[in-house]
Amino acid sequence: MLIDGKQIAAEIKEELKQKVEHLKEEGISVGLAVIRVGEDPASKVYVRNKEKACEYVGIHTNTIVLPEDTTEEQLLKLVEKLNHDNGIHGILVQLPLPKQIDESKILLAIDPKKDVDGFHPVNVGKMVIGEKTFLPCTPAGIVEMLKRSDIGIAGKECVVIGRSNIVGKPMALLMLRENATVTVAHSKTKDLKEVAKRADILISAIGKANFVTADYVKPGAVVIDVGMNRNEEGKLCGDVDFESVSPIASAITPVPGGVGPMTVTMLLVNCVRSVENNS
Ligand code: GUN
């Protein structure tokens, strides 16, 4: 079975469109501020995709593009201004930031009530202890995609490959919250193949093109590919070698059209939640 992230994302966007419409009738226009610093080509594409998705469901965006040599102080000032802007319900600072800026300081400055990425330490803490909060978009999108595909999570062996703050770590926590038995594997894991093979649900977020081949996958496993890599020919491809893995997996996400559209959609979900929780 192919897990069609694009289709599931489209369903959620239709639901959101209606919610946004209702809020408009109540006089509330949902607003997201997106800050991009510098001209990183991948960030440009990601930000453009987020703007387009917002526009589609009726969320208004205010994208602020700052030059590569922006100082930490300048960016902190802008975040502070947006924290107090009543028309803005979500603030997203596109990562990575130029090296003169300390990412953690910026994330800490965002009002947790507007932190639609779910990266503020207060929101990360709430996620860890299972309190209601903004959840990071990629892991939350994966859980939503599994649920909407009727793939049970409770009691399953889940192996997450990768331990980043944006994907791997929160992914492991959300699968734990859904009562999976969770293993986090990474570049220092011994016998990665053997560990990955234990998985009923294998989630790869390592950033290496076609790394996960059939010998990492138990027959019948569900395989979720978070990778967004370019191969030697410059073609977009995931972490998973789709050709060899798809015949043995019971379900698999494609790249593109799998996790990516879900990530953007969960950002929209978080923007609408921000209004519902704070107004
Ligand atoms: N860079 C890569 N992924 C993300 C994301 O989900 N949010 C932000 N803000 N930056 C990113």
Side-chain angles (χ1 to χ4, degrees), residues 240-256:
V240 177
D241 177 30
F242 190 87
E243 215 174 58
S244 74
V245 174
S246 58
I248 61 165
S250 64
I252 185 167
T253 61
V255 176

Side-chain angles (χ1 to χ4, degrees), residues 6-58:
K6 208 171 159 188
Q7 174 60 34
I8 299 169
E11 286 165 24
I12 299 171
K13 280 193 271 193
E14 291 315 310
E15 295 162 19
L16 286 172
K17 236 180 174 175
Q18 298 203 348
K19 283 194 182 178
V20 171
E21 190 60 38
H22 285 147
L23 287 166
K24 279 218 174 100
E25 284 162 12
E26 291 171 25
I28 302 167
S29 166
V30 186
L32 170 69
V34 180
I35 306 172
R36 172 164 68 77
V37 185
E39 300 300 321
D40 177 65
S43 289
K44 278 182 165 175
V45 175
Y46 292 148
V47 166
R48 186 71 205 111
N49 284 342
K50 290 170 189 179
E51 287 173 331
K52 275 198 279 193
C54 282
E55 194 184 332
Y56 181 77
V57 300

